[in-house]
Amino acid sequence: MSVKDLKQLQKDVDKAIKAAEDRSRKDALTALEETAKKHGFSLSDLTGAMPKKRKSSPATPKYAHPENAELTWSGRGRQPVWFKEALENGKTPDDLAIA
């Protein structure tokens, strides 16, 4: 066999191994879930797995650009350039706050 054929064979074998491992893992998980269910538990009850976290909503804007209300900032993270410039020009954060 050529080197190219051997490398292709290696890729095919790796792919087959991964598929077999995935199948085996899925079968084991199914068996565990069925056993837990027979005893009146869920698998997460027995393993102490944490429930999935909630998705957080985007932060509410607290500050708006004085001339362009579409430019907003929530007060989290780095200050936008327009906010810094407004502060340098004598504005206060209260002046830029959304009412």
Side-chain angles (χ1 to χ4, degrees):
M1 293 183 101
S2 70
V3 173
K4 184 178 178 183
D5 292 339
L6 290 171
K7 286 186 179 187
Q8 183 61 43
L9 181 61
Q10 183 179 24
K11 286 180 185 178
D12 293 343
V13 168
D14 288 341
K15 209 182 275 188
I17 290 171
K18 181 167 178 13
E21 287 174 343
D22 290 345
R23 235 183 351 265
S24 178
R25 184 176 293 116
K26 185 178 176 183
D27 292 344
L29 184 60
T30 303
L32 289 171
E33 287 173 344
E34 288 174 7
T35 303
K37 197 174 199 179
K38 285 179 188 175
H39 293 282
F41 297 100
S42 71
L43 193 55
S44 61
D45 290 340
L46 299 175
T47 60
M50 298 296 291
K52 292 184 180 179
K53 290 186 178 181
R54 297 181 307 175
K55 289 186 178 181
S56 61
S57 59
T60 335
K62 292 183 182 179
Y63 304 101
H65 189 280
E67 292 143 16
N68 183 358
E70 290 183 11
L71 296 176
T72 59
W73 179 50
S74 67
R76 297 182 185 173
R78 290 178 21 175
Q79 292 178 345
V81 174
W82 62 264
F83 190 85
K84 288 181 185 179
E85 288 174 353
L87 294 178
E88 289 170 1
N89 291 330
K91 298 265 186 189
T92 65
D94 291 336
D95 296 334
L96 303 172
I98 298 175

